[in-house]
């Protein structure tokens, strides 16, 4: 029928696309007017939407009105300048344009032949980023290694764990899987534990080694060495270790050079998770945090966290691509082709869990080109400076204390209790977090370090300015005063 929306029509796409871009632009223009943390109750949306899908088409205007009145109230606004909770998930104009183009082309680039540009651009753009990070040449696609874009850091650690598992089992025999041991700090992201569950590593062979406050929650090499030695003495097989650059709780940095020597001497796969803080390492003054990465077998950072690249875009580099391919490759008849059979190309289907994959390198390529490394460095530095200023306000107020030294753009702090009682202190800070988030003016999160309830303020939203930091500090002061007046 005349006027109905077709599955794909160039002129309708132009018309509707303009309306959607206007809607999104207005959303960003007015984003500060929304409560940062959604204030709805569980199950709110089912009461507002019909029980069945419409039998007949509706207008875009009707849909946009429902988004405005029914969907947006249930959104927690990650791009709000007052969002300080989890590590950021950056959007940008360049990232959005790349995402739009990827959606428009809408191909499924699992092998080179399905769209040669998708594979080759990914190889090139990850070489660019590796060079910006000054990663060892072994991680470049021109050698035996290379980079691949995963959806998340959770996927990245899973695929390298599987590669490491299969590599050692080819040597010791598949029946030895019950002897394989994985090591990490107790500050390591829970994604590693899930990877072990998926990969068949016995739960009792997953070692979370305690990181202590006197080392700012970085893992002690002695702790790893002792654990490995103990397991070897009991007939187990240490095979995988994950270090973190910028832990979730406190942005602790594990000492890569010393840890790398231990893994190398014990023939273990050494993975470095720099999902959050890796972006900062494009700045020369922060690059030292990944000194020792030359000892690693794999390295991961999330460009979608703090690198202005829309979710999802997690960059993973490996030194030995064959380890991934041997573990993850399948070669059914319907996927065979001359280029692949002749080993002339990279087929990224063999570097990941799913077969299908999106043209994600487009948005990373556009971010690197439209901003350039100098602007990206300035972007990161600005957030770190804003976090430093917030930290200064905390340090100048005797009611608060800094819990761990700030390294990047995360500030870990807490309200001091009137009396020396840790249980009461934990409740007080829990109440402060609830009070602050309930205002709708900002959103923060918490962690627990050494049994202490800690508040986390992570600066990283693209629109955050100093005025937002000052406004957030004012909310903390006001809500703390209210709570302390009741003590």
């Amino acid at each position: 029928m005349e006027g109905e929306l077709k599955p794909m029509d160039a002129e309708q796409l132009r018309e509707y696309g303009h309306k959607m871009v206007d809607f999104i632009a207005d959303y960003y223009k007015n984003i500060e007017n929304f409560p940062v943390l959604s204030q709805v109750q569980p199950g709110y949306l089912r009461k507002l939407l019909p029980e069945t899908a419409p039998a007949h088409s509706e207008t875009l205007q009707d849909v946009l009105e429902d988004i405005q009145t029914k969907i947006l109230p249930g959104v927690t606004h990650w791009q709000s300048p007052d969002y300080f909770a989890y590590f950021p998930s950056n959007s940008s104009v360049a990232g959005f344009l790349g995402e739009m183009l990827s959606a428009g082309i809408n191909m499924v680039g699992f092998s080179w032949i399905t769209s040669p540009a998708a594979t080759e651009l990914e190889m090139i753009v990850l070489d660019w980023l590796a060079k910006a990070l000054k990663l060892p040449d072994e991680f470049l696609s021109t050698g035996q290694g290379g980079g691949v874009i995963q959806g998340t850091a959770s996927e990245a650690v899973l695929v390298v764990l599987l590669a490491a598992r299969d590599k050692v089992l080819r040597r010791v025999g598949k029946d030895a899987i019950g002897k394989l041991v994985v090591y990490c700090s107790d500050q390591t992201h829970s994604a590693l534990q899930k990877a072990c569950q998926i990969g068949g590593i016995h739960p009792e062979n997953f070692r979370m080694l305690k990181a202590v406050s006197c080392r700012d929650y970085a893992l002690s090499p002695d702790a790893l060495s002792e654990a490995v030695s103990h397991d070897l003495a009991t007939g187990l097989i240490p095979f995988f270790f994950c270090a973190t650059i910028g832990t979730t709780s406190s942005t602790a940095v594990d000492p890569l050079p010393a840890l790398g020597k231990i893994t190398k001497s014990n023939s273990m796969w050494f993975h470095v998770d720099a999902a959050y803080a890796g972006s900062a390492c494009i700045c020369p003054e922060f690059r030292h945090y990944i000194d020792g990465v030359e000892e690693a077998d794999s390295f991961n950072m999330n460009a979608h966290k703090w690198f202005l690249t829309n979710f999802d875009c997690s960059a993973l580099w490996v030194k030995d691509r064959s380890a991934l391919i041997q573990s993850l490759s399948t070669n059914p008849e319907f996927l065979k082709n001359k280029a692949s059979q002749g080993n002339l190309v990279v087929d990224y289907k063999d570097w990941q869990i799913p077969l299908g994959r999106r043209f994600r390198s487009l948005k990373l390529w556009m971010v690197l080109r439209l901003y350039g490394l100098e602007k990206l460095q300035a972007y990161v530095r600005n957030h770190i400076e804003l976090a430093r200023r917030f930290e200064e306000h905390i340090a100048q107020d005797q009611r608060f204390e800094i819990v761990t030294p700030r390294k990047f753009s995360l500030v870990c702090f807490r309200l001091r209790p009137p009396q020396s009682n840790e249980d009461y202190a934990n409740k007080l800070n829990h109440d402060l977090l609830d009070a602050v988030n309930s205002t709708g003016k900002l959103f923060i999160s918490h962690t627990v370090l050494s049994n202490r309830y800690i508040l986390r303020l992570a600066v990283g939203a693209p629109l955050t300015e100093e005025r937002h930091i000052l406004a957030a500090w004012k909310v903390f002061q006001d809500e703390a005063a209210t709570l302390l007046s009741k003590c």
Side-chain angles (χ1 to χ4, degrees), residues 130-160:
K131 291 173 183 177
L133 290 164
K134 294 183 170 55
L135 296 183
D137 287 348
E138 295 98 315
F139 285 123
L140 300 179
S141 64
T142 48
Q144 300 302 308
V148 56
I149 298 176
Q150 304 286 343
T152 65
S154 301
E155 294 172 41
V157 74
L158 173 60
V159 297
V160 295

Side-chain angles (χ1 to χ4, degrees), residues 39-336:
Q39 304 294 304
V40 301
Q41 297 300 312
Y44 90 100
L45 193 56
R46 188 170 293 278
K47 301 172 184 176
L48 301 177
L49 295 183
E51 292 185 1
T52 58
H56 304 289
S57 59
E58 301 180 22
T59 68
L60 177 60
Q61 188 58 40
D62 288 340
V63 174
L64 292 180
E65 286 177 5
D66 274 354
I67 292 172
Q68 190 73 48
T69 60
K70 298 172 183 176
I71 302 300
L72 289 183
V75 168
T76 291
H77 301 278
W78 283 64
Q79 305 310 313
S80 168
D82 299 303
Y83 179 95
F84 303 109
Y86 310 106
F87 287 141
S89 179
N90 279 179
S91 291
S92 68
V93 174
F96 176 76
L97 293 175
E99 192 73 72
M100 183 189 295
L101 184 56
S102 176
I105 296 172
N106 199 33
M107 59 76 180
V108 187
F110 47 80
S111 59
W112 178 87
I113 200 169
T114 59
S115 269
T119 295
E120 297 194 13
L121 182 63
E122 188 159 333
M123 295 170 71
I124 291 166
V125 79
L126 286 182
D127 281 353
W128 282 7
L129 188 50
K131 291 173 183 177
L133 290 164
K134 294 183 170 55
L135 296 183
D137 287 348
E138 295 98 315
F139 285 123
L140 300 179
S141 64
T142 48
Q144 300 302 308
V148 56
I149 298 176
Q150 304 286 343
T152 65
S154 301
E155 294 172 41
V157 74
L158 173 60
V159 297
V160 295
L161 179 87
L162 296 177
R165 179 200 66 184
D166 292 350
K167 184 177 181 180
V168 72
L169 290 180
R170 284 192 293 273
R171 177 169 56 85
V172 301
K174 64 181 180 180
D175 293 336
I177 190 168
K179 295 182 178 180
L180 302 187
V181 188
V182 172
Y183 304 83
C184 66
S185 156
D186 62 0
Q187 301 298 303
T188 302
H189 196 282
S190 58
L192 178 58
Q193 183 177 2
K194 180 177 282 191
C196 290
Q197 292 170 200
I198 296 170
I201 305 304
H202 291 202
E204 63 270 22
N205 290 346
F206 177 57
R207 304 275 184 267
M208 285 197 300
L209 308 176
K210 189 173 182 59
V212 293
S213 59
C214 64
R215 294 184 60 90
D216 296 333
Y217 299 99
L219 181 63
S220 163
D222 289 342
L224 176 62
S225 183
E226 290 169 11
V228 168
S229 296
H230 178 269
D231 287 333
L232 284 170
T234 57
L236 296 175
I237 305 172
F239 87 103
F240 189 92
F241 170 67
C242 177
T244 306
I245 305 300
T247 58
T248 301
S249 281
S250 66
T251 63
V253 174
D254 289 333
L256 301 189
L259 294 168
K261 289 178 182 177
I262 296 168
T263 59
K264 193 170 187 178
S265 64
N266 289 282
S267 301
M268 297 164 63
W269 186 291
F270 182 21
H271 177 64
V272 176
D273 175 1
Y276 159 70
S279 297
C281 296
I282 65 166
C283 301
E285 66 269 32
F286 300 115
R287 172 55 178 76
H288 67 91
Y289 284 118
I290 57 171
D291 285 353
V293 70
E294 60 273 9
E295 303 289 347
D297 297 283
S298 50
F299 178 86
N300 171 233
M301 66 157 279
N302 284 350
H304 62 243
K305 268 192 167 66
W306 200 13
F307 206 71
L308 289 176
T309 307
N310 292 41
F311 186 82
D312 55 357
C313 188
S314 184
L316 169 69
W317 291 270
V318 294
K319 283 183 177 176
D320 177 15
R321 71 178 75 162
S322 68
L324 281 184
I325 294 168
Q326 288 182 69
S327 183
L328 301 171
S329 177
T330 57
N331 194 27
E333 188 64 35
F334 64 88
L335 293 182
K336 292 179 180 178

Side-chain angles (χ1 to χ4, degrees), residues 5 26 38 55 63 74 102 105 165-166 191 199 266 298 328-329 334 349 355 360 392 395 399 401 422 424 429 432 440:
L5 188 64
D26 287 341
S38 173
V63 174
S102 176
I105 296 172
R165 179 200 66 184
D166 292 350
N266 289 282
S298 50
L328 301 171
S329 177
F334 64 88
K349 70 180 178 62
L355 173 64
R360 288 179 292 214
E392 278 186 350
R399 297 173 300 175
E401 65 176 328
E422 280 303 321
Y424 181 74
N429 281 280
L432 179 57

Side-chain angles (χ1 to χ4, degrees), residues 376-441:
L376 289 166
Q377 289 169 339
Y379 176 76
V380 168
R381 287 172 177 141
N382 178 57
H383 284 151
I384 293 173
E385 174 60 18
L386 291 177
R388 186 192 66 79
R389 293 179 190 177
F390 183 83
E391 183 184 44
E392 278 186 350
H393 290 299
I394 293 288
Q396 291 167 8
D397 191 323
Q398 303 251 331
R399 297 173 300 175
F400 291 87
E401 65 176 328
I402 303 295
V403 177
T404 59
R406 180 196 51 78
K407 292 182 175 64
F408 304 102
S409 66
L410 174 71
V411 183
C412 292
F413 65 104
R414 69 172 188 163
L415 185 60
R416 298 180 193 268
Q419 62 259 25
S420 182
N421 182 314
E422 280 303 321
D423 289 339
Y424 181 74
N426 289 341
K427 182 182 184 307
L428 186 65
N429 281 280
H430 185 284
D431 290 346
L432 179 57
L433 177 135
D434 284 347
V436 166
N437 286 341
S438 294
T439 67
K441 296 177 181 178

Side-chain angles (χ1 to χ4, degrees), residues 1-9 11-13 15-16 55-60:
M1 292 178 61
E2 186 70 25
E4 281 196 354
L5 188 64
K6 301 171 185 176
M8 181 52 72
D9 176 88
E11 292 310 313
Q12 284 187 328
L13 176 62
E15 176 190 352
Y16 282 72
H56 304 289
S57 59
E58 301 180 22
T59 68
L60 177 60

